[in-house]
Amino acid sequence: MAEPTDVRIALSTASVYPESTATAFEIAARLGYDGVEVMVWTDPVSQDIEALRRLSDYHGVPILAVHAPCLLITQRVWTTDPWTKLRRARAAAEKLGASTVVVHPPFRWQRQYARGFVEGIWRMADETDVRFAVENMYPWRYRDREMLAYAPDWDVTHNDYRHFTIDLSHTATARTDALDMVERMGDRLGHVHLADGRGSAKDEHLVPGRGTQPCAELLERLVRTGFDGHVVIEVNTRRAMSGAEREADLAEALAFTRAHLSAAAVRVPRR
């Protein structure tokens, strides 16, 4: 029988979009996820600490991480000032008992924010026990054109951060070697967004196992190296034709992750 691991598996509330944040808590509880990562976006509940606390308590599902509102569609959520967004995300994580704030590198047009980003993230990390885990992104592509949309770099390993988030859908879109990136992150890998992709110019966020990314190999590596962060299922279920189909995808993602973590715990000696 496969042994359990210490790695907890969370459901990103983004994985149920266009359903609500509240629906994500319901599904996470029903399917047996260990927690949720709250994507702060235009859903008012995702922005409301007390509402999130009530959902967490009601469903018995802890909030393990908060994803700061740094997407294109969330540019006006919680304010237009990016540092204020991060301070609010940190406060939310502290009040909700989450260990991690996920943040993207700035867009290139956020020039002042980008200039002070690396140093600013270090300052904020020094002020809290919450991890600020900066997530790898990708170049934007259209036909044969490529635009570098993030600064200082979409490949966050080119800069000095205390903690990283690896996203395997993003490595697919960037057409970069995910395991090589993880090696460069080393012990600073603090958080994982598990999804899959096939190298499309679109950020696909497929259910793990449906693309070309080394999802299983990454999970084995986490066990082997004594990873102490969380694995978050962040997949795209927008094309699901029903709630049942969406839940089936999320159940499949959870089963895939649990199976490979547990198998690795049997097979691989921990560091």
Side-chain angles (χ1 to χ4, degrees):
M1 183 176 177
E3 294 181 2
T5 73
D6 296 331
V7 179
R8 292 203 280 179
I9 307 168
L11 177 65
S12 170
T13 59
S15 294
V16 306
Y17 182 84
E19 296 290 341
S20 68
T21 301
T23 299
F25 279 87
E26 294 172 14
I27 292 174
R30 190 154 51 240
L31 296 182
Y33 277 82
D34 300 317
V36 302
E37 174 178 300
V38 174
M39 172 69 80
V40 180
W41 64 297
T42 54
D43 180 353
V45 171
S46 73
Q47 305 171 31
D48 186 328
I49 292 172
E50 289 308 312
L52 292 169
R53 194 197 313 276
R54 288 193 296 271
L55 282 169
S56 177
D57 291 345
Y58 178 78
H59 292 287
V61 177
I63 297 170
L64 303 182
V66 174
H67 195 308
C70 45
L71 309 181
L72 277 175
I73 65 168
T74 60
Q75 291 300 289
R76 295 187 176 276
V77 171
W78 272 357
T79 179
T80 56
D81 177 66
W83 290 115
T84 301
K85 290 174 184 283
L86 295 191
R87 285 191 289 272
R88 291 189 66 169
R90 178 185 66 193
E94 289 170 344
K95 291 175 182 176
L96 294 167
S99 64
T100 303
V101 168
V102 179
V103 58
H104 293 179
F107 294 111
R108 281 196 172 271
W109 56 83
Q110 296 175 303
R111 292 177 184 173
Q112 185 173 352
Y113 178 44
R115 275 196 298 271
F117 183 70
V118 177
E119 297 80 6
I121 289 293
W122 271 99
R123 282 196 301 272
M124 294 194 75
D126 284 339
E127 296 169 355
T128 181
D129 291 332
V130 173
R131 291 177 173 180
F132 279 87
V134 186
E135 184 173 2
N136 63 299
M137 299 305 291
Y138 47 85
W140 290 2
R141 294 189 180 92
Y142 179 72
R143 295 181 180 173
D144 59 346
R145 294 186 176 184
E146 183 175 291
M147 184 175 86
L148 300 179
Y150 299 96
D153 205 304
W154 63 263
D155 183 345
V156 292
T157 64
H158 291 166
N159 297 102
D160 181 26
Y161 300 110
R162 182 173 293 171
H163 290 107
F164 295 108
T165 296
I166 186 79
D167 184 305
L168 267 66
S169 178
H170 295 174
T171 57
T173 305
R175 300 170 190 164
T176 192
D177 186 315
L179 294 180
D180 183 61
M181 180 174 280
V182 167
E183 286 298 320
R184 296 198 302 277
M185 290 178 173
D187 291 341
R188 291 184 290 172
L189 176 62
H191 200 65
V192 173
H193 281 171
L194 194 67
D196 216 330
R198 294 177 292 230
S200 165
K202 295 180 179 179
D203 185 17
E204 296 173 287
H205 283 275
L206 303 177
V207 170
R210 297 185 185 178
T212 61
Q213 293 304 287
C215 297
E217 293 89 338
L218 172 61
L219 294 170
E220 181 173 299
R221 185 189 187 283
L222 298 181
V223 174
R224 187 175 68 247
T225 58
F227 175 71
D228 65 350
H230 306 309
V231 174
V232 178
I233 302 301
E234 190 182 77
V235 296
N236 184 346
T237 63
R238 277 175 281 184
R239 293 188 177 180
M241 300 300 291
S242 65
E245 185 178 334
R246 174 172 289 108
E247 286 200 33
D249 283 348
L250 298 178
E252 179 183 331
L254 177 59
F256 177 99
T257 307
R258 279 233 172 95
H260 285 286
L261 286 173
S262 297
V266 172
R267 224 173 26 246
V268 181
R270 297 193 193 190
R271 187 175 64 183

